[in-house]
Amino acid sequence: MTRELTAPRALITRPRRPLIARNAVFARAWAAQLLSQSATRMYQMGALWWLLGQVATGDRGLASGMFLVCAALPPVAFAPLVARTIAAHPSRTVLGVAVLGGAVLMAVLAAYGVLADVPTLAVYPAMFGLAACQALFDPCLTKAIPELVEDDDIEDATAFEQSSYSLVGMAGALFGAVLVDWIGLAGVVLVSAAAYLGAAVFVATVRPRPQPVDGDDGVEAGILGAWRLLAGLPFVRLALICFAAANFFITATFVILPLYTKNVLHAPALTLGMLEGALWLGLLIGVFTGKHLRGHPAFIGSGCVALFGMAVAVPALTAQRGVVLVALAVAGWAVGATNVVFVAAFQRAVPTAARAAFFSAMLALLGAGFPVAAFFFGLAGDLVPTQALFLVQTAGLLPIAAVLALRGHSAPHPATGRPDLHEQFSDTATQKESR
């Protein structure tokens, strides 16, 4: 009787520890990502709020839009150079150069701010330089994930990597906004420099495991090679194009929220931090829950794009802060859930030799619309009521969601709910080899 009721020891399973507790190398790389992104985000938020206080009311939209153009342009403009760099050099070297570059830039600006007032125009090139450092760091870390973790941990590593954006978004939005009121722009810059130096210390302790390249498999190590590879992958190409179009409207939220806080709510920087923090909190939850979504990725993606579009319509209809915070959290969840489903699938699908080019190209394509969106929505913010800009987002996102749902239904529908991308990439490589 006792033996029948007692479970064998072999059947008792202990909860698996989190990846960052099991893999110290990945934990240090992730810590470096958190610190570097936090430094960039704190500067971006602090300098943006400081800038809105320096310019006239009628020029706020254009001034903030151009500032965010500087933040968004480097990943697009430098995509070919970034791809070649992270393909040609060890991951640790590239990561180290990126964080040291950010530390030096912030240290120089902090020293200038201590000696004299920071010129209004100086915040633009500084933002461009920081964004360039981050544009080098982020795709390099994405490419290096298989060098840092075992194959079974790729989804978990991807979730942590994606979660850094939301964790940093929340912390950076709150600290950047609060610190600029407490210690001024020069103080924010000094804190950012310290964060970059901390990231450099973590990177120095990371020892990635070099991955064997898949021989001369015909996959070209360049942006052009990535586009040619996508020619034989209609579902991947459709997903990237749809999400690039959606990002034009989604990323406009970061242009609209400061104007909404300043012009509609007439609230302090802390309120802006809370609004953006709600968005990033939702994204964080979406990153860690998105892997549990079941169904065809095309329908998951289209549903999330539509959900974001409906959620951002809420601030156009009400100024009740509690309601707006919930709506922004829902919008963030939609983005986070979509990201983890598709990035994890791409991570396994792309051959080792093509990862650098593919992820650089992916980030360039997805971010290509942000500079245009920042300029367009920033300029429009000086011409039309701020609430109307939220409705423009909704009107643009719903048709994109419909296209993704209607055109993506013919893609493979595996039992796991993920696209069968590995076979598609393998078939493409085989065709190239036969030629």
Side-chain angles (χ1 to χ4, degrees), residues 302-365:
S302 64
C304 288
V305 170
L307 181 60
F308 188 100
M310 292 184 289
V312 294
V314 173
L317 305 176
T318 180
Q320 292 292 328
R321 297 185 191 183
V323 176
V324 173
L325 287 171
V326 172
L328 290 174
V330 171
W333 179 90
V335 174
T338 304
N339 283 354
V340 76
V341 168
F342 282 89
V343 173
F346 296 160
Q347 193 65 259
R348 275 209 171 88
V350 181
T352 301
R355 284 190 188 124
F358 178 83
F359 286 113
S360 297
M362 182 185 77
L363 291 177
L365 178 61

Side-chain angles (χ1 to χ4, degrees), residues 25-385:
V25 175
F26 176 78
R28 291 193 291 268
W30 187 56
Q33 183 186 35
L34 287 176
L35 285 172
S36 66
Q37 289 183 347
S38 295
T40 302
R41 187 72 182 122
M42 279 191 294
Y43 173 78
Q44 180 179 329
M45 175 63 76
L48 177 58
W49 190 257
W50 178 84
L51 185 62
L52 290 176
Q54 300 296 309
V55 300
T57 302
D59 297 327
R60 286 173 178 168
L62 182 59
S64 60
M66 291 305 299
F67 179 77
L68 291 174
V69 166
C70 292
L73 196 57
V76 180
F78 299 143
L81 176 62
V82 167
R84 290 194 296 268
T85 301
I86 64 179
H89 301 283
S91 299
R92 183 186 173 206
T93 301
V94 177
L95 295 173
V97 168
V99 292
L100 285 175
V104 170
L105 179 60
M106 287 290 94
V108 170
L109 188 60
Y112 187 94
V114 170
L115 298 175
D117 292 335
V118 176
T120 302
L121 292 179
V123 300
Y124 293 94
M127 184 70 260
F128 187 90
L130 277 191
C133 293
Q134 208 63 53
L136 185 62
F137 186 98
D138 289 335
C140 182
L141 183 60
T142 302
K143 170 246 182 182
I145 280 180
E147 304 172 20
L148 302 171
V149 303
E150 300 298 331
D151 184 75
D152 291 344
D153 289 326
I154 284 180
E155 276 94 355
D156 285 343
T158 300
F160 274 103
E161 185 210 4
Q162 292 292 306
S163 73
S164 68
Y165 296 95
S166 52
L167 289 171
V168 165
M170 287 187 294
L174 290 171
F175 282 110
V178 171
L179 287 176
V180 77
D181 283 341
W182 286 0
I183 58 178
L185 181 61
V188 172
V189 172
L190 189 59
V191 172
S192 297
Y196 261 114
L197 284 174
V201 171
F202 277 115
V203 168
T205 65
V206 170
R207 297 289 190 276
R209 180 182 64 251
Q211 289 282 292
V213 177
D214 301 336
D216 189 14
D217 63 358
V219 180
E220 299 142 280
I223 297 295
L224 182 59
W227 296 133
R228 289 175 178 171
L229 192 63
L230 287 177
L233 305 166
F235 177 75
V236 180
R237 184 176 55 193
L238 172 68
L240 291 180
I241 291 174
C242 286
F243 288 136
N247 270 1
F248 174 84
F249 297 99
I250 290 173
T251 54
T253 309
F254 297 106
V255 183
I256 301 171
L257 283 181
L259 300 176
Y260 183 74
T261 305
K262 199 83 171 179
N263 298 339
V264 178
L265 300 180
H266 305 290
L270 180 59
T271 299
L272 174 59
M274 292 175 62
L275 294 177
E276 288 207 9
L279 187 70
W280 291 109
L281 175 61
L283 195 148
L284 176 64
I285 297 172
V287 163
F288 284 102
T289 59
K291 64 182 180 181
H292 300 298
L293 294 177
R294 295 293 177 263
H296 197 292
F299 294 123
I300 293 175
S302 64
C304 288
V305 170
L307 181 60
F308 188 100
M310 292 184 289
V312 294
V314 173
L317 305 176
T318 180
Q320 292 292 328
R321 297 185 191 183
V323 176
V324 173
L325 287 171
V326 172
L328 290 174
V330 171
W333 179 90
V335 174
T338 304
N339 283 354
V340 76
V341 168
F342 282 89
V343 173
F346 296 160
Q347 193 65 259
R348 275 209 171 88
V350 181
T352 301
R355 284 190 188 124
F358 178 83
F359 286 113
S360 297
M362 182 185 77
L363 291 177
L365 178 61
L366 295 180
F370 189 21
V372 182
F375 177 79
F376 173 81
F377 281 91
L379 183 60
D382 291 332
L383 303 176
V384 301

